[in-house]
């Protein structure tokens, strides 16, 4: 072991570090403008951000929110400051993903990404009861503001 050398370990970004419980997923769905089940065609890195480019086919809007038809034709989701994130969910682009995000100034910002797993009971429960869950009106974690 060499002394004096500092090993840089990339920190997992907030979009990939989300809680995988049904309650955590439901809270994220509430705080997101849109929720989409989709396939990811490719990932590009630009200016310290990561862009997830959705496949033209195989997407299902679970919560469309402010998304317009032109937004869904070619979904490009931006992970702000996510270029160096070792996101374990995005190790392989095979299969589908549950993507949660917000539309800000015409850009689709990625809030959370999960690998779609049909056998995951927490995910099945959250998606099934997404619209009947009592969402609170204020989410300081995502807005970054203090309510007082």
């Amino acid at each position: 072991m060499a002394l004096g050398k500092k090993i840089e370990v990339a920190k997992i970004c907030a979009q990939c570090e989300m809680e995988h419980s049904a309650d955590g997923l439901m809270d994220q769905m509430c705080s997101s403008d849109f929720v989409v089940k989709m396939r990811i065609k490719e990932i590009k890195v630009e200016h310290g951000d990561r862009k997830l480019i959705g496949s033209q086919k195989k997407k299902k809007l679970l919560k469309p929110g402010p998304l317009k038809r032109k937004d869904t034709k070619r979904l490009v989701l931006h992970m702000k400051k996510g270029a160096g994130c070792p996101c374990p969910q995005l190790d392989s682009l095979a299969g589908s993903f549950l993507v949660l995000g917000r539309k800000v100034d015409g850009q689709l910002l990625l809030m959370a990404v999960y690998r779609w797993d049909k056998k995951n009971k927490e995910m099945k429960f959250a998606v099934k009861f997404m619209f009947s869950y009592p969402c609170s009106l204020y989410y300081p974690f995502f807005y970054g503001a203090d309510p007082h």
Side-chain angles (χ1 to χ4, degrees):
M1 182 176 190
L3 295 174
K5 287 194 174 191
K6 187 177 177 184
I7 298 172
E8 288 278 329
V9 176
K11 207 173 131 184
I12 292 183
C13 55
Q15 296 95 328
C16 298
E17 190 180 43
M18 296 301 188
E19 184 181 344
H20 285 79
S21 70
D23 285 338
L25 192 53
M26 295 297 282
D27 285 341
Q28 291 164 21
M29 287 179 174
C30 285
S31 64
S32 297
D33 288 342
F34 60 88
V35 178
V36 182
K37 177 187 171 192
M38 61 184 269
R39 290 182 185 250
I40 298 172
K41 186 170 82 175
E42 66 178 306
I43 297 175
K44 291 184 178 180
V45 175
E46 272 181 19
H47 311 294
D49 295 342
R50 192 184 287 196
K51 287 170 131 183
L52 278 65
I53 300 165
S55 173
Q56 294 288 345
K57 300 173 185 164
K58 296 282 189 179
K59 62 182 157 262
K60 183 176 182 179
L61 290 171
L62 301 174
K63 177 183 174 183
L67 294 183
K68 304 284 187 239
R69 186 168 171 82
K70 66 179 173 104
D71 294 324
T72 62
K73 279 206 182 249
R74 185 168 184 258
L75 277 172
V76 177
L77 301 151
H78 299 264
M79 285 177 73
K80 292 296 179 185
K81 298 179 181 151
C85 177
C87 193
Q89 284 86 304
L90 300 174
D91 282 346
S92 166
L93 298 182
S96 295
F97 294 85
L98 184 66
V99 173
L100 298 89
R102 304 189 124 261
K103 188 172 182 179
V104 179
D105 298 330
Q107 262 193 351
L108 303 180
L109 301 180
L110 184 73
M111 302 302 290
V113 61
Y114 295 94
R115 181 164 294 286
W116 185 265
D117 181 5
K118 292 181 200 174
K119 294 175 184 157
N120 183 328
K121 290 180 183 178
E122 301 282 332
M123 184 178 286
K124 280 169 89 171
F125 177 84
V127 170
K128 185 175 181 180
F129 294 104
M130 175 170 56
F131 296 107
S132 61
Y133 187 76
C135 292
S136 132
L137 294 174
Y138 185 77
Y139 284 90
F141 174 76
F142 291 106
Y143 290 111
D146 185 22
H148 302 289

